[in-house]
Amino acid sequence: MTPIHRTPFDHKMAWRGGDIASKDQVAFDLTARHRQALEEVLGRVRRAGRSLGEIGPAECRHPALDGDLERVFDEIQDGRGLVIVRGIPVEGHSVADVSTMFWALGAHFGRGVSQSARGDLLGLVQDETLPGEAESARGYTSRRELSLHVDLAQIVGLMCVRQSRAGGFSQYAAGLAIHNELLATRPDLLPVLYRGFPYHRRGEEAPDQPCITPYDIPVFSECDGRLSVFMVREIFNAAFRELKRTFTSQEIDAIDTFRATAQRLQFETRLEPGEASFLNNYTVMHARSEFDDWDEPEQKRLMLRLWLDAERNRRPGVREIHIYENQGGRSGIDPQPGRLPAVAHYRAPDEIVRAQAAAE
């Protein structure tokens, strides 16, 4: 457990949702020159016949992109921690082409890491639930509401290719603002949040690793003077369920107060086709409202997701927040042959916390 930070953060990253009137304030709009450059990068990669995993930063450089995207990267790492890039070419392109251009944008910010045990470097965020089947424990393959959480990389990119018929709004909340608010209103809860909770690896861990972290993952932690936030309720609920461990009344109070505070401070918007959010995953949480999808398969909601490790200006973080202990210290989830992303068995909804709170 790192020492508790006892003074308010005065930084652009400590923004509150009310500070952002619309996504225009956090947007970077691609110009016709930028879009032409992306098309040229796409053509270059096509001619080379490379798969996404073989496309490195050098293949994605372009004089019309490099300087402006460097400033976007600075805003992700040292500014608000959230940028919405708009105007990515979608119309008239296949999903494979759009994926390549999205990857090329991300390559300016970091290197893609695996997002599940099956080794997918580009996540397809879509409802994969078949009629009559239970939803997967991995929320990105469902249509359900996802509460504010973090992912498992340093930078997260999420791009809209097709939007749902209704719903599917994106929410974002700044970890530093949440910390400031709790410091002012409920400082008694900070020791619980700095200590944290064990997390379930949900069957995607390496064969020599336990299924539950043998240590607690802090919600708040400080490293080299920089605060990080880490919170995924479903995953530590799953750990408590398997351990047959009961949350204490103080833990429930800390978890529910944290969530209510984050929701009160969030900024909400809806990504439309050709728009992508890039966020500093150590400082900005994200969520999604439930959505109602189209009936036609070719119209169904499709988002693309990148998990990126920054290779420069990396934000320092404590080792515990890398819950999968991957080879080489990578973020994400290393591929595990024969395994799938967390199946429905591992799903432990937020209702577990609420039920225990009601029972006390």
Side-chain angles (χ1 to χ4, degrees):
M1 174 171 157
T2 63
I4 295 173
H5 190 92
R6 295 291 186 181
T7 57
F9 290 97
D10 181 15
H11 191 279
K12 285 180 67 176
M13 280 184 174
W15 55 266
R16 302 162 70 95
D19 299 334
I20 304 174
S22 74
K23 65 182 171 185
D24 291 344
Q25 288 180 244
V26 294
F28 173 76
D29 292 309
L30 296 178
T31 65
R33 185 165 174 259
H34 293 136
R35 291 191 291 273
Q36 179 60 37
L38 277 177
E39 300 272 8
E40 291 175 15
V41 170
L42 172 63
R44 183 193 310 162
V45 170
R46 276 177 175 165
R47 290 190 295 273
R50 295 179 182 271
S51 64
L52 284 185
E54 297 171 329
I55 304 171
E59 288 85 2
C60 303
R61 298 296 178 200
H62 193 289
L65 292 171
D66 297 347
D68 288 334
L69 292 183
E70 182 69 22
R71 286 185 281 277
V72 171
F73 176 73
D74 290 342
E75 180 67 15
I76 295 168
Q77 295 298 82
D78 296 313
R80 282 196 185 97
L82 169 66
V83 178
I84 296 176
V85 177
R86 302 190 294 195
I88 304 168
V90 171
E91 192 69 31
H93 285 287
S94 66
V95 173
D97 285 351
V98 174
S99 299
T100 299
M101 288 186 282
F102 181 44
W103 180 275
L105 285 173
H108 284 78
F109 311 139
R111 185 168 294 276
V113 297
S114 171
Q115 300 180 31
S116 78
R118 65 186 173 196
D120 44 332
L121 293 173
L122 183 79
L124 300 180
V125 182
Q126 59 188 351
D127 183 18
E128 298 179 0
T129 310
L130 298 176
E133 280 192 354
E135 289 184 333
S136 164
R138 296 294 296 273
Y140 74 101
T141 64
S142 76
R143 67 172 67 187
R144 68 179 180 268
E145 176 187 4
L146 303 179
S147 62
L148 284 161
H149 65 282
V150 299
D151 284 355
L152 302 178
Q154 297 170 28
I155 296 173
V156 173
L158 184 68
M159 178 185 172
C160 179
V161 179
R162 298 188 298 266
Q163 191 48 277
S164 57
R165 178 162 46 195
F169 283 81
S170 296
Q171 296 99 22
Y172 307 93
L176 273 65
I178 300 168
H179 191 281
N180 281 351
E181 187 71 8
L182 293 176
L183 181 64
T185 61
R186 293 298 307 273
D188 58 303
L189 300 178
L190 290 177
V192 175
L193 297 172
Y194 271 77
R195 187 202 69 217
F197 309 96
Y199 274 69
H200 207 304
R201 291 165 172 154
R202 302 186 298 180
E204 297 189 74
E205 68 276 359
D208 61 344
Q209 294 290 336
C211 63
I212 296 174
T213 60
Y215 43 79
D216 291 331
I217 313 300
V219 177
F220 291 124
S221 58
E222 196 167 30
C223 184
D224 296 343
R226 298 194 180 189
L227 187 86
S228 293
V229 61
F230 193 98
M231 166 72 87
V232 192
R233 289 169 63 114
E234 279 197 14
I235 307 183
F236 65 68
N237 279 343
F240 271 61
R241 182 178 64 177
E242 180 148 330
L243 293 169
K244 296 181 171 53
R245 175 173 157 182
T246 302
F247 292 95
T248 67
S249 58
Q250 188 183 39
E251 288 173 334
I252 293 168
D253 191 9
I255 293 166
D256 287 345
T257 301
F258 179 96
R259 183 182 196 182
T261 302
Q263 289 177 325
R264 190 170 69 253
L265 298 176
Q266 73 183 18
F267 161 65
E268 181 177 76
T269 190
R270 193 171 192 254
L271 297 179
E272 299 299 338
E275 297 181 345
S277 64
F278 287 94
L279 58 89
N280 187 322
N281 189 59
Y282 285 1
T283 65
V284 177
M285 304 179 70
H286 62 284
R288 182 196 71 204
S289 67
E290 185 177 7
F291 62 88
D292 177 32
D293 221 346
W294 301 95
D295 296 326
E296 298 79 10
E298 67 278 5
Q299 287 188 285
K300 287 186 178 294
R301 184 181 192 267
L302 174 63
M303 313 287 277
L304 305 177
R305 186 177 69 181
L306 289 173
W307 284 359
L308 303 168
D309 271 359
E311 296 185 294
R312 64 192 191 285
N313 192 20
R314 296 167 65 107
R315 189 177 184 88
V318 298
R319 63 173 293 275
E320 288 83 0
I321 60 178
H322 298 284
I323 67 174
Y324 282 89
E325 300 186 52
N326 297 317
Q327 293 183 6
R330 288 186 297 267
S331 298
I333 303 172
D334 275 355
Q336 304 298 334
R339 299 195 184 190
L340 296 172
V343 294
H345 166 75
Y346 294 107
R347 189 177 170 200
D350 289 342
E351 282 72 13
I352 292 177
V353 172
R354 290 199 289 272
Q356 289 181 347
E360 288 199 355

